[in-house]
Amino acid sequence: LDSGCGTGVSTSGLAVRYPHASVVGVDQSADRLGRSGRAVDGLIAVADHAVLVRADLVDLWRLMWADGVRPRQHLLWYPNPWPKPVHLMRRWHAHPVMPTLLALGGELELRSNWRVYIDEFAQALAVYGLSSVIEEVTILPPVTPFERKYRDSGHPLWRLSAHLTECAA
């Protein structure tokens, strides 16, 4: 599950990397999603086994949890960090949907160029009794347009990895 996939470049890359997995990229922007692939039954197919879906992640994650859908891997690559303190509740780790995000289980990977966002997410996971690993990464080639932009401008890139055990939301 490629949550917040933007134009779907990362989803396409994941489809190539994991040819035997179903890959779903989700973004709320029809404009961004429309820049990749071809429309098929209201979805945008980027490979035989990969689609882009326009949806609100809050609603989608809650529906997935209620229906028992559990991703093996859940990727949150370069989400908007909402850096102003007044926007704290818009960050995924401070949002009311966080328990549902965690309840989906699987391997979670968060990437950002903003170390504070990564550290805050790790602290939120610790509140839920979950551990995580944070590492600075050099990724070649870049997986997303944001990753390319940040790398090319000299920003350090960070990855947080966590194994999420299934729990009640």
Side-chain angles (χ1 to χ4, degrees), residues 1-162:
L1 180 62
D2 187 7
S3 290
C5 70
T7 63
V9 169
S10 54
T11 307
S12 295
L14 290 164
V16 170
R17 186 173 179 184
Y18 300 103
H20 301 294
S22 297
V23 182
V24 179
V26 183
D27 202 274
Q28 68 180 352
S29 170
D31 178 59
R32 282 190 299 267
L33 289 172
R35 297 177 199 167
S36 296
R38 55 184 168 77
V40 177
D41 298 328
L43 302 174
I44 299 171
V46 293
D48 291 342
H49 61 286
V51 296
L52 303 176
V53 179
R54 181 177 182 257
D56 179 276
L57 287 171
V58 172
D59 295 335
L60 180 71
W61 292 339
R62 287 179 174 151
L63 289 169
M64 287 174 64
W65 184 81
D67 287 346
V69 176
R70 304 295 183 262
R72 215 174 310 153
Q73 278 189 297
H74 191 171
L75 309 171
L76 290 167
W77 287 347
Y78 303 92
N80 186 339
W82 296 99
K84 294 181 181 176
V86 70
H87 295 141
L88 175 64
M89 295 298 285
R90 293 183 182 179
R91 299 178 197 164
W92 289 127
H93 53 275
H95 193 282
V97 80
M98 182 67 166
T100 304
L101 184 160
L102 299 178
L104 290 175
E107 298 299 322
L108 178 69
E109 181 174 288
L110 173 70
R111 292 186 190 177
S112 180
N113 67 313
W114 197 38
R115 177 63 192 251
V116 170
Y117 192 87
I118 295 284
D119 290 340
E120 287 178 356
F121 205 101
Q123 289 175 353
L125 289 174
V127 167
Y128 289 95
L130 298 166
S131 61
S132 59
V133 174
I134 297 172
E135 58 189 334
E136 186 173 359
V137 292
T138 302
I139 300 157
L140 296 172
V143 180
T144 73
F146 283 113
E147 196 162 64
R148 175 176 285 107
K149 175 178 113 175
Y150 297 140
R151 184 208 62 191
D152 290 352
S153 64
H155 289 222
L157 303 176
W158 302 97
R159 175 175 43 213
L160 174 146
S161 303

